[in-house]
Amino acid sequence: MENSQQSTDGTDRSDLVSADGKNIKSVLCQRCGSKVLCPGMATLEEKELFLPSMRKKSGLSTTEGSVDGDTLTAHWLVDDMYTFENVGFTNDVGRIKYLICADCEIGPIGWHCLDDKKSFYVAVERVNYA
């Protein structure tokens, strides 16, 4: 998504992304408002990822075949897990760990593949901004 604030789905993200592709605003949990990322800590990436529907942590352990969710394409990419202000990780689901809010445990708000130690994705649509 080089130097473009327009996403592939036509959504204008100019109020969220700086000229160098970083997040302008703080990234917050939709449910409790807890800060997930500070401004300037993540880059906007277009990557198709499937995330199960949002729910409390206990509801994430559904069998693989019956998981309902969304395929999302706009994500904040973070290359170091210590960049996050407040995020938790689920137990492994195959080779994936889902990102959740560490305070209220709602999620998944993002995705991390265990094969790639430097890629943590937070779905743009599953968080709020301030």
Side-chain angles (χ1 to χ4, degrees):
M1 216 179 120
E2 287 181 39
N3 292 336
S4 171
Q5 267 74 38
Q6 198 79 8
S7 71
T8 54
D9 66 2
T11 308
D12 180 20
R13 302 196 201 288
S14 59
D15 61 331
L16 298 178
V17 185
S18 65
D20 62 350
K22 301 270 188 187
N23 59 310
I24 293 173
K25 300 178 177 182
S26 291
V27 176
L28 310 173
C29 173
Q30 283 182 346
R31 183 194 212 191
C32 72
S34 196
K35 187 184 288 186
V36 175
L37 285 167
C38 289
M41 301 309 290
T43 54
L44 188 63
E45 285 284 319
E46 297 278 333
K47 181 180 176 98
E48 243 182 55
L49 298 173
F50 176 82
L51 289 178
S53 293
M54 297 260 291
R55 53 185 87 145
K56 274 200 77 132
K57 190 166 108 177
S58 59
L60 286 175
S61 57
T62 330
T63 57
E64 193 69 26
S66 67
V67 175
D68 59 326
D70 308 298
T71 299
L72 304 170
T73 55
H75 303 276
W76 295 114
L77 174 63
V78 175
D79 63 6
D80 182 355
M81 67 186 269
Y82 297 108
T83 302
F84 290 107
E85 294 296 310
N86 186 24
V87 78
F89 294 87
T90 64
N91 290 328
D92 299 2
V93 179
R95 301 290 307 145
I96 306 297
K97 280 187 180 284
Y98 292 109
L99 281 59
I100 60 172
C101 174
D103 280 346
C104 72
E105 297 186 339
I106 196 76
I109 59 169
W111 185 95
H112 170 65
C113 180
L114 297 172
D115 298 330
D116 186 354
K117 302 280 187 231
K118 292 197 147 288
S119 295
F120 301 86
Y121 295 92
V122 176
V124 169
E125 295 173 30
R126 296 220 174 159
V127 289
N128 287 338
Y129 303 92

